[in-house]
Amino acid sequence: MPEPTPGVPVRIDPRGPRFAAGLTTLVLLLVLATGSGVLLVAQAVVFALGAILGLRWSPYGWLYRRLVRPRLGPPRELEDERPPRFAQAVGLGFAVVGAAAYLSGATWLGIAASAAALAAAFLNAAFGYCLGCELYLLGVRGRARLSQG
């Protein structure tokens, strides 16, 4: 895989984040079914790798590139990696709060944080609607309006 060029946004196959959202949905369902803070910590690590290092360093991104994409045709178009990376950061926030809550005994907060993350992951997996990506775009538009004065 070629190295990204500094200053040029990385372009990705949009099917990869949707695949990752499907896996995330399954993991979060397991978290809610078991109340496992440790499993939610593992999901937080997956989110952190995608948010901080980029989607190609995420375990789910790796699985998509190795196992799924070779069986598909090329994507019709590529998309900017920044909105899905921001979505991973939002997921990381919910996972950290949820894991800390489960592990400290505040189960109700763990359930709430996990359920919120699950709702967002499910929307992306099932319908291709990325809430975190939309938040990113709102922020970009808001910044542009503020800079216009």
Side-chain angles (χ1 to χ4, degrees), residues 84-145:
R85 275 183 78 172
F86 180 81
Q88 293 288 295
V90 172
L92 174 60
F94 279 98
V96 166
V97 168
Y102 276 122
L103 295 172
S104 69
T107 305
W108 66 271
L109 181 56
I111 292 169
S114 299
L118 171 61
F122 177 76
L123 278 174
N124 194 355
F127 304 108
Y129 187 80
C130 176
L131 284 174
C133 299
E134 294 300 323
L135 286 174
Y136 175 86
L137 295 173
L138 281 172
V140 168
R141 284 189 216 111
R143 234 179 335 189
R145 285 188 185 131

Side-chain angles (χ1 to χ4, degrees), residues 15 30 34 38 44 49 55 93 103 141:
R15 299 170 297 184
L30 278 173
T34 64
V38 173
L49 290 170
L55 300 178
L103 295 172
R141 284 189 216 111

